[in-house]
């Protein structure tokens, strides 16, 4: 049985391989760097063993796959005098920059062939719902989507959900030396730094809280303090975040955030988050129930997508390419 992992692409050499495979494919050939990086962030690792059937002829596909390692064979059952006979049409390997399942991204139709693992190997999968979400997102929101996916608590959400969250973000500007969060107030929202740098000081007790991962940084320093309770200091730069615990309803004080120069932050409150995708605690429970691609998250109906929404790819290219893939790959 194939196993879908939450692991995302982090190794540069592997990222480069998957990126080359995407650019070799007609669907992704004209991606901008930002678009490509968002797709890479969405791809999940799939481990297979010899004999595992990744997609089955006649079934419904919901993913596009890039071969990371191993060998795979394309099988199709064909009518002959003696009945139906399975035939091996071709083989996929990482060396060939092989990929398959692109028609599942565009059309909700039965698959024309099966793909089976010949050896143990690794695939990198892009879900249809994430592909649809990126197509439907305004390209100006892609940087926001990438920032939101960097937040661990949000990384399990689909692109469609993150796109809705991106539309709910507010923006706050802070001048040099201004306090954005005071110890007496507590943190009631997620803050993502879009520009500038913040200095955060907090009590030692926060490091013991499992929901405060953003403060456990490599540049954590103990602050010289004459008070009985020691304090720690961490500097947050562009692209980093803090306050994620507020999204699960945890209110934490004993923290102060001050701007080092002019700073711009994207802000997401729990109320905004809940109104878009529902309580994060429920989403976490649903996620633990099923690590595969079945979930209780709200999803778009599985209709054929409007490929013309992919503004960087010509519709004629998609039509010709899809016809070519149906004729040649049958999957």
């Amino acid at each position: 049985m194939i196993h879908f992992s939450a692991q995302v692409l982090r190794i540069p050499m592997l990222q480069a391989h998957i990126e080359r495979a995407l650019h070799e494919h007609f669907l992704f050939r004209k991606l901008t760097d930002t678009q490509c990086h968002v797709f890479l962030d969405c791809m999940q690792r799939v481990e297979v063993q010899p004999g595992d059937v990744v997609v089955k002829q006649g079934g419904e596909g919901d993913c596009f796959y890039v071969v990371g390692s191993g060998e795979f064979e394309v099988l199709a059952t064909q009518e002959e005098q003696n009945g139906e006979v399975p035939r091996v049409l071709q083989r996929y390997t990482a060396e060939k920059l092989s990929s398959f399942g692109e028609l599942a991204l565009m059309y909700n139709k039965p698959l024309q062939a099966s793909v089976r693992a010949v050896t143990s190997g690794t695939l990198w999968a892009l879900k249809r719902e994430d592909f649809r979400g990126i197509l439907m997102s305004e390209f100006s929101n892609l940087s926001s989507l990438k920032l939101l996916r960097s937040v661990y608590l949000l990384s399990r959400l689909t692109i469609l959900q993150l796109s809705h969250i991106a539309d709910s973000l507010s923006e706050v500007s802070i001048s040099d030396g201004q306090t954005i969060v005071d110890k007496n107030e507590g943190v009631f929202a997620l803050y993502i730094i879009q520009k500038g740098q913040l200095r955060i000081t907090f009590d030692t007790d926060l490091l013991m809280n499992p929901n405060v991962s953003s403060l456990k940084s490599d540049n954590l320093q103990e602050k010289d303090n004459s008070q009985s309770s020691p304090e720690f200091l961490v500097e947050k730069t562009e692209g980093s975040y803090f306050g994620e615990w507020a999204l699960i309803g945890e209110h934490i004080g004993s923290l102060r955030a001050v701007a080092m120069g002019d700073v711009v932050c994207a802000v997401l409150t729990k109320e905004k988050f809940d109104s878009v995708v529902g309580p994060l605690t429920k989403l976490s429970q649903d996620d633990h129930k099923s690590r595969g691609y079945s979930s209780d998250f709200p999803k778009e109906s599985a209709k054929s997508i409007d490929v013309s929404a992919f503004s960087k790819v010509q519709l004629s290219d998609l039509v010709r390419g899809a016809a070519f893939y149906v004729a040649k790959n049958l999957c």
Side-chain angles (χ1 to χ4, degrees):
M1 177 179 292
I2 64 175
H3 173 65
F4 289 90
S5 168
Q7 181 180 354
V8 294
L9 286 164
R10 287 289 181 264
I11 303 173
M13 186 178 297
L14 186 54
Q15 284 184 327
H17 170 79
I18 304 301
E19 190 170 353
R20 285 198 304 273
L22 290 179
H23 282 301
E24 286 287 321
H25 198 283
F26 76 94
L27 268 183
F28 307 98
R29 194 171 294 144
K30 296 183 180 180
L31 292 178
T32 66
D33 289 342
T34 301
Q35 291 167 331
C36 188
H37 291 158
V38 174
F39 275 114
L40 290 173
D41 285 344
C42 291
M43 301 189 84
Q44 291 185 295
R45 185 185 181 96
V46 183
E47 296 289 350
V48 298
Q49 299 300 321
D52 285 346
V53 176
V54 183
V55 297
K56 188 174 182 180
Q57 183 177 4
E60 290 187 2
D62 60 355
C63 292
F64 168 76
Y65 298 92
V66 174
V67 177
S69 64
E71 183 178 351
F72 301 80
E73 58 186 6
V74 182
L75 299 154
T77 301
Q78 299 176 347
E79 290 283 351
E80 296 190 1
Q81 291 181 350
N82 298 329
E84 294 184 344
V85 178
R87 299 291 185 189
V88 176
L89 304 182
Q90 61 179 304
R91 294 180 183 270
Y92 294 144
T93 64
E95 290 72 23
K96 296 178 182 177
L97 297 177
S98 298
S99 60
F100 59 93
E102 62 284 327
L103 296 186
L105 298 181
M106 297 188 292
Y107 309 110
N108 184 29
K109 294 182 179 180
L111 298 172
Q112 300 298 307
S114 301
V115 176
R116 183 172 64 192
V118 178
T119 66
S120 59
T122 301
L123 297 166
W124 289 91
L126 174 66
K127 294 185 287 184
R128 179 198 290 135
E129 61 197 60
D130 285 339
F131 182 79
R132 289 169 60 91
I134 293 173
L135 292 188
M136 295 172 66
S137 298
E138 295 290 338
F139 290 117
S140 59
N141 277 346
L142 288 177
S143 58
S144 296
L145 294 180
K146 190 169 177 62
L147 285 174
L148 288 170
R149 281 190 66 85
S150 71
V151 180
Y152 175 74
L153 282 176
L154 305 182
S155 61
R156 70 197 65 178
L157 302 182
T158 68
I159 285 294
L160 282 175
Q161 291 171 312
L162 292 178
S163 180
H164 292 318
I165 292 172
D167 292 337
S168 301
L169 292 173
S170 56
E171 189 174 280
V172 59
S173 298
I174 312 105
S175 302
D176 182 27
Q178 184 179 352
T179 299
I180 184 173
V181 176
D182 205 340
K183 280 193 171 184
N184 298 325
E185 300 173 354
V187 180
F188 295 97
L190 167 71
Y191 291 85
I192 303 176
I193 303 173
Q194 296 178 306
K195 176 185 176 183
Q197 189 170 347
L198 289 173
R199 177 183 285 116
I200 301 175
T201 55
F202 55 93
D203 292 344
T204 311
D205 294 343
L206 292 189
L207 292 177
M208 306 300 293
N209 190 319
N211 296 321
V212 187
S213 59
S214 61
L215 299 182
K216 300 169 185 176
S217 172
D218 292 337
N219 65 353
L220 187 64
Q221 307 171 38
E222 187 168 2
K223 184 180 178 183
D224 293 334
N225 200 330
S226 58
Q227 298 178 358
S228 57
S229 177
E231 287 188 330
F232 283 89
L233 181 150
V234 66
E235 293 181 357
K236 290 291 184 181
T237 57
E238 183 175 320
S240 59
Y241 63 91
F242 72 97
E244 69 277 10
W245 55 86
L247 299 183
I248 58 175
E250 188 161 348
H251 301 301
I252 294 177
S254 305
L255 181 147
R256 186 167 184 259
V258 179
M260 302 170 63
D262 293 337
V263 175
V264 177
C265 288
V267 181
L268 176 64
T269 64
K270 185 178 187 305
E271 292 72 24
K272 286 282 190 181
F273 181 87
D274 289 352
S275 68
V276 173
V277 296
L280 187 58
T281 49
K282 182 181 185 303
L283 294 178
S284 300
Q285 292 167 359
D286 291 342
D287 182 63
H288 285 303
K289 289 179 183 176
S290 174
R291 260 302 184 185
Y293 285 155
S294 60
S295 73
D296 294 330
F297 295 169
K299 295 182 181 178
E300 294 289 320
S301 58
K303 298 178 181 178
S304 299
I305 62 174
D306 179 7
V307 293
S308 64
F310 205 174
S311 63
K312 292 294 182 180
V313 180
Q314 296 297 317
L315 180 59
S316 58
D317 293 339
L318 290 172
V319 173
R320 286 196 301 269
F324 172 79
Y325 270 77
V326 170
K328 181 180 178 183
N329 293 341
L330 292 178
C331 68

